mmCIF file of all heavy atoms in Angstrom:
data_model
loop_
_atom_site.group_PDB
_atom_site.id
_atom_site.type_symbol
_atom_site.label_atom_id
_atom_site.label_comp_id
_atom_site.label_asym_id
_atom_site.label_seq_id
_atom_site.Cartn_x
_atom_site.Cartn_y
_atom_site.Cartn_z
ATOM 1 N N PHE A 5 1.851 10.344 1.885
ATOM 2 C CA PHE A 5 2.692 11.417 1.366
ATOM 3 C C PHE A 5 3.995 10.832 0.825
ATOM 4 O O PHE A 5 4.439 9.760 1.249
ATOM 5 C CB PHE A 5 3.064 12.419 2.466
ATOM 6 C CG PHE A 5 1.921 13.216 3.026
ATOM 7 C CD1 PHE A 5 2.107 13.968 4.182
ATOM 8 C CD2 PHE A 5 0.673 13.242 2.432
ATOM 9 C CE1 PHE A 5 1.084 14.719 4.720
ATOM 10 C CE2 PHE A 5 -0.372 13.975 2.966
ATOM 11 C CZ PHE A 5 -0.161 14.721 4.116
ATOM 12 N N SER A 6 4.617 11.561 -0.078
ATOM 13 C CA SER A 6 5.995 11.238 -0.422
ATOM 14 C C SER A 6 6.890 11.570 0.770
ATOM 15 O O SER A 6 6.521 12.352 1.654
ATOM 16 C CB SER A 6 6.445 12.043 -1.638
ATOM 17 O OG SER A 6 6.570 13.426 -1.304
ATOM 18 N N TYR A 7 8.069 10.981 0.774
ATOM 19 C CA TYR A 7 8.991 11.234 1.881
ATOM 20 C C TYR A 7 9.371 12.716 1.945
ATOM 21 O O TYR A 7 9.408 13.313 3.019
ATOM 22 C CB TYR A 7 10.238 10.364 1.733
ATOM 23 C CG TYR A 7 11.288 10.632 2.772
ATOM 24 C CD1 TYR A 7 11.020 10.472 4.125
ATOM 25 C CD2 TYR A 7 12.561 11.060 2.398
ATOM 26 C CE1 TYR A 7 11.981 10.722 5.085
ATOM 27 C CE2 TYR A 7 13.534 11.308 3.346
ATOM 28 C CZ TYR A 7 13.240 11.137 4.683
ATOM 29 O OH TYR A 7 14.199 11.392 5.624
ATOM 30 N N SER A 8 9.633 13.324 0.802
ATOM 31 C CA SER A 8 10.036 14.733 0.798
ATOM 32 C C SER A 8 8.912 15.631 1.298
ATOM 33 O O SER A 8 9.153 16.607 2.034
ATOM 34 C CB SER A 8 10.476 15.168 -0.602
ATOM 35 O OG SER A 8 9.415 15.030 -1.528
ATOM 36 N N ALA A 9 7.671 15.312 0.935
ATOM 37 C CA ALA A 9 6.545 16.115 1.420
ATOM 38 C C ALA A 9 6.390 15.971 2.930
ATOM 39 O O ALA A 9 6.138 16.951 3.639
ATOM 40 C CB ALA A 9 5.260 15.694 0.712
ATOM 41 N N ALA A 10 6.551 14.746 3.435
ATOM 42 C CA ALA A 10 6.449 14.535 4.880
ATOM 43 C C ALA A 10 7.538 15.298 5.620
ATOM 44 O O ALA A 10 7.300 15.873 6.690
ATOM 45 C CB ALA A 10 6.533 13.043 5.189
ATOM 46 N N CYS A 11 8.749 15.331 5.052
ATOM 47 C CA CYS A 11 9.849 16.081 5.679
ATOM 48 C C CYS A 11 9.545 17.568 5.732
ATOM 49 O O CYS A 11 9.830 18.245 6.731
ATOM 50 C CB CYS A 11 11.153 15.830 4.926
ATOM 51 S SG CYS A 11 11.862 14.201 5.186
ATOM 52 N N THR A 12 8.978 18.084 4.660
ATOM 53 C CA THR A 12 8.621 19.506 4.639
ATOM 54 C C THR A 12 7.572 19.822 5.697
ATOM 55 O O THR A 12 7.676 20.820 6.423
ATOM 56 C CB THR A 12 8.087 19.898 3.249
ATOM 57 O OG1 THR A 12 9.121 19.697 2.280
ATOM 58 C CG2 THR A 12 7.656 21.350 3.213
ATOM 59 N N LEU A 13 6.565 18.959 5.796
ATOM 60 C CA LEU A 13 5.514 19.187 6.790
ATOM 61 C C LEU A 13 6.083 19.138 8.203
ATOM 62 O O LEU A 13 5.763 19.993 9.043
ATOM 63 C CB LEU A 13 4.407 18.152 6.631
ATOM 64 C CG LEU A 13 3.238 18.274 7.617
ATOM 65 C CD1 LEU A 13 2.532 19.620 7.463
ATOM 66 C CD2 LEU A 13 2.259 17.125 7.437
ATOM 67 N N ARG A 14 6.921 18.156 8.486
ATOM 68 C CA ARG A 14 7.512 18.063 9.823
ATOM 69 C C ARG A 14 8.332 19.312 10.148
ATOM 70 O O ARG A 14 8.218 19.872 11.241
ATOM 71 C CB ARG A 14 8.399 16.831 9.938
ATOM 72 C CG ARG A 14 9.157 16.770 11.275
ATOM 73 C CD ARG A 14 10.049 15.558 11.372
ATOM 74 N NE ARG A 14 10.991 15.497 10.262
ATOM 75 C CZ ARG A 14 11.739 14.437 9.989
ATOM 76 N NH1 ARG A 14 11.647 13.359 10.729
ATOM 77 N NH2 ARG A 14 12.578 14.455 8.958
ATOM 78 N N ALA A 15 9.160 19.742 9.203
ATOM 79 C CA ALA A 15 10.007 20.912 9.442
ATOM 80 C C ALA A 15 9.158 22.137 9.758
ATOM 81 O O ALA A 15 9.494 22.937 10.653
ATOM 82 C CB ALA A 15 10.905 21.163 8.232
ATOM 83 N N TYR A 16 8.043 22.281 9.040
ATOM 84 C CA TYR A 16 7.177 23.435 9.277
ATOM 85 C C TYR A 16 6.493 23.326 10.640
ATOM 86 O O TYR A 16 6.424 24.320 11.388
ATOM 87 C CB TYR A 16 6.132 23.529 8.164
ATOM 88 C CG TYR A 16 5.290 24.774 8.231
ATOM 89 C CD1 TYR A 16 5.776 25.993 7.773
ATOM 90 C CD2 TYR A 16 4.000 24.745 8.751
ATOM 91 C CE1 TYR A 16 5.007 27.146 7.828
ATOM 92 C CE2 TYR A 16 3.218 25.884 8.818
ATOM 93 C CZ TYR A 16 3.726 27.090 8.356
ATOM 94 O OH TYR A 16 2.966 28.231 8.425
ATOM 95 N N CYS A 17 5.997 22.144 10.978
ATOM 96 C CA CYS A 17 5.358 21.953 12.291
ATOM 97 C C CYS A 17 6.326 22.268 13.425
ATOM 98 O O CYS A 17 5.971 22.950 14.405
ATOM 99 C CB CYS A 17 4.860 20.512 12.430
ATOM 100 S SG CYS A 17 3.424 20.089 11.435
ATOM 101 N N VAL A 18 7.543 21.774 13.313
ATOM 102 C CA VAL A 18 8.528 21.985 14.372
ATOM 103 C C VAL A 18 8.916 23.466 14.465
ATOM 104 O O VAL A 18 9.016 24.021 15.567
ATOM 105 C CB VAL A 18 9.763 21.092 14.130
ATOM 106 C CG1 VAL A 18 10.886 21.440 15.103
ATOM 107 C CG2 VAL A 18 9.383 19.613 14.283
ATOM 108 N N ALA A 19 9.128 24.102 13.323
ATOM 109 C CA ALA A 19 9.495 25.523 13.348
ATOM 110 C C ALA A 19 8.388 26.374 13.949
ATOM 111 O O ALA A 19 8.640 27.263 14.778
ATOM 112 C CB ALA A 19 9.825 25.995 11.932
ATOM 113 N N LEU A 45 9.918 27.926 4.634
ATOM 114 C CA LEU A 45 9.124 26.721 4.394
ATOM 115 C C LEU A 45 7.700 27.013 3.936
ATOM 116 O O LEU A 45 7.070 26.184 3.265
ATOM 117 C CB LEU A 45 9.065 25.881 5.673
ATOM 118 C CG LEU A 45 10.389 25.308 6.171
ATOM 119 C CD1 LEU A 45 10.228 24.775 7.597
ATOM 120 C CD2 LEU A 45 10.858 24.193 5.252
ATOM 121 N N ASP A 48 6.199 26.301 0.240
ATOM 122 C CA ASP A 48 5.984 24.896 -0.116
ATOM 123 C C ASP A 48 4.774 24.320 0.609
ATOM 124 O O ASP A 48 3.983 23.561 0.022
ATOM 125 C CB ASP A 48 7.223 24.070 0.237
ATOM 126 C CG ASP A 48 8.359 24.268 -0.758
ATOM 127 O OD1 ASP A 48 8.091 24.759 -1.866
ATOM 128 O OD2 ASP A 48 9.505 23.932 -0.405
ATOM 129 N N VAL A 49 4.617 24.651 1.887
ATOM 130 C CA VAL A 49 3.472 24.149 2.646
ATOM 131 C C VAL A 49 2.169 24.697 2.068
ATOM 132 O O VAL A 49 1.177 23.979 1.907
ATOM 133 C CB VAL A 49 3.623 24.514 4.140
ATOM 134 C CG1 VAL A 49 2.397 24.049 4.926
ATOM 135 C CG2 VAL A 49 4.890 23.895 4.724
ATOM 136 N N TRP A 53 -0.546 22.108 0.723
ATOM 137 C CA TRP A 53 -1.682 21.814 1.594
ATOM 138 C C TRP A 53 -2.653 22.984 1.805
ATOM 139 O O TRP A 53 -3.753 22.780 2.290
ATOM 140 C CB TRP A 53 -1.192 21.334 2.966
ATOM 141 C CG TRP A 53 -0.514 20.008 2.912
ATOM 142 C CD1 TRP A 53 -1.116 18.793 2.750
ATOM 143 C CD2 TRP A 53 0.885 19.739 3.004
ATOM 144 N NE1 TRP A 53 -0.182 17.791 2.744
ATOM 145 C CE2 TRP A 53 1.068 18.344 2.906
ATOM 146 C CE3 TRP A 53 2.016 20.554 3.178
ATOM 147 C CZ2 TRP A 53 2.319 17.750 2.958
ATOM 148 C CZ3 TRP A 53 3.265 19.960 3.231
ATOM 149 C CH2 TRP A 53 3.405 18.572 3.117
ATOM 150 N N LEU A 118 0.961 14.787 13.885
ATOM 151 C CA LEU A 118 2.320 15.334 13.826
ATOM 152 C C LEU A 118 2.333 16.786 14.287
ATOM 153 O O LEU A 118 3.224 17.201 15.040
ATOM 154 C CB LEU A 118 2.860 15.224 12.401
ATOM 155 C CG LEU A 118 4.256 15.791 12.151
ATOM 156 C CD1 LEU A 118 5.292 15.091 13.014
ATOM 157 C CD2 LEU A 118 4.618 15.668 10.665
ATOM 158 N N MET A 148 5.052 10.694 11.801
ATOM 159 C CA MET A 148 5.847 10.989 10.610
ATOM 160 C C MET A 148 6.039 9.732 9.767
ATOM 161 O O MET A 148 5.830 9.731 8.549
ATOM 162 C CB MET A 148 7.200 11.566 11.057
ATOM 163 C CG MET A 148 8.225 11.745 9.964
ATOM 164 S SD MET A 148 7.804 13.078 8.831
ATOM 165 C CE MET A 148 9.245 13.011 7.740
ATOM 166 N N LEU A 151 3.215 8.627 7.651
ATOM 167 C CA LEU A 151 2.937 9.450 6.480
ATOM 168 C C LEU A 151 3.724 9.023 5.248
ATOM 169 O O LEU A 151 3.242 9.140 4.125
ATOM 170 C CB LEU A 151 3.241 10.923 6.791
ATOM 171 C CG LEU A 151 2.277 11.633 7.740
ATOM 172 C CD1 LEU A 151 2.784 13.029 8.074
ATOM 173 C CD2 LEU A 151 0.872 11.703 7.136
ATOM 174 N N TYR A 152 4.966 8.547 5.433
ATOM 175 C CA TYR A 152 5.801 8.263 4.264
ATOM 176 C C TYR A 152 6.184 6.800 4.099
ATOM 177 O O TYR A 152 6.679 6.392 3.052
ATOM 178 C CB TYR A 152 7.085 9.104 4.318
ATOM 179 C CG TYR A 152 8.100 8.668 5.348
ATOM 180 C CD1 TYR A 152 8.965 7.594 5.109
ATOM 181 C CD2 TYR A 152 8.207 9.328 6.569
ATOM 182 C CE1 TYR A 152 9.885 7.197 6.053
ATOM 183 C CE2 TYR A 152 9.133 8.929 7.517
ATOM 184 C CZ TYR A 152 9.976 7.866 7.249
ATOM 185 O OH TYR A 152 10.897 7.461 8.185
ATOM 186 N N ALA A 358 14.328 5.496 3.082
ATOM 187 C CA ALA A 358 13.681 5.466 4.394
ATOM 188 C C ALA A 358 12.239 4.991 4.294
ATOM 189 O O ALA A 358 11.694 4.453 5.262
ATOM 190 C CB ALA A 358 13.732 6.856 5.031
ATOM 191 N N THR A 386 13.813 14.783 16.272
ATOM 192 C CA THR A 386 12.909 15.904 16.008
ATOM 193 C C THR A 386 13.500 16.934 15.055
ATOM 194 O O THR A 386 12.779 17.821 14.598
ATOM 195 C CB THR A 386 12.571 16.643 17.316
ATOM 196 O OG1 THR A 386 13.729 17.357 17.792
ATOM 197 C CG2 THR A 386 12.101 15.674 18.389
ATOM 198 N N LYS A 387 14.791 16.825 14.764
ATOM 199 C CA LYS A 387 15.465 17.949 14.114
ATOM 200 C C LYS A 387 15.510 17.866 12.600
ATOM 201 O O LYS A 387 15.405 18.875 11.919
ATOM 202 C CB LYS A 387 16.885 18.085 14.665
ATOM 203 C CG LYS A 387 16.917 18.647 16.087
ATOM 204 C CD LYS A 387 18.329 18.960 16.535
ATOM 205 C CE LYS A 387 18.314 19.702 17.861
ATOM 206 N NZ LYS A 387 19.682 20.023 18.333
ATOM 207 N N CYS A 388 15.752 16.693 12.064
ATOM 208 C CA CYS A 388 15.906 16.598 10.615
ATOM 209 C C CYS A 388 15.788 15.143 10.193
ATOM 210 O O CYS A 388 15.414 14.279 10.985
ATOM 211 C CB CYS A 388 17.246 17.198 10.166
ATOM 212 S SG CYS A 388 18.669 16.394 10.902
ATOM 213 N N HIS A 389 16.165 14.879 8.961
ATOM 214 C CA HIS A 389 15.939 13.563 8.378
ATOM 215 C C HIS A 389 17.004 12.543 8.731
ATOM 216 O O HIS A 389 16.896 11.384 8.324
ATOM 217 C CB HIS A 389 15.909 13.704 6.857
ATOM 218 C CG HIS A 389 17.224 14.128 6.282
ATOM 219 N ND1 HIS A 389 17.615 15.448 6.256
ATOM 220 C CD2 HIS A 389 18.242 13.417 5.754
ATOM 221 C CE1 HIS A 389 18.822 15.529 5.721
ATOM 222 N NE2 HIS A 389 19.228 14.318 5.403
ATOM 223 N N MET A 390 18.036 12.907 9.499
ATOM 224 C CA MET A 390 19.207 12.042 9.634
ATOM 225 C C MET A 390 18.903 10.682 10.253
ATOM 226 O O MET A 390 19.616 9.714 9.999
ATOM 227 C CB MET A 390 20.308 12.744 10.431
ATOM 228 C CG MET A 390 19.954 13.068 11.862
ATOM 229 S SD MET A 390 21.333 13.878 12.743
ATOM 230 C CE MET A 390 21.419 15.449 11.884
ATOM 231 N N ASP A 392 15.623 9.313 10.129
ATOM 232 C CA ASP A 392 14.366 8.779 9.598
ATOM 233 C C ASP A 392 14.572 7.332 9.140
ATOM 234 O O ASP A 392 15.528 7.005 8.436
ATOM 235 C CB ASP A 392 13.882 9.617 8.419
ATOM 236 C CG ASP A 392 13.326 10.959 8.857
ATOM 237 O OD1 ASP A 392 12.999 11.095 10.044
ATOM 238 O OD2 ASP A 392 13.225 11.872 8.010
#
Side-chain angles (χ1 to χ4, degrees):
F5 294 168
S6 69
Y7 176 60
S8 61
C11 287
T12 298
L13 180 61
R14 174 181 56 191
Y16 187 79
C17 288
V18 172
L45 296 167
D48 284 342
V49 177
W53 293 286
L118 178 60
M148 172 71 178
L151 289 174
Y152 73 80
T386 70
K387 287 188 172 180
C388 59
H389 65 278
M390 64 179 67
D392 287 342

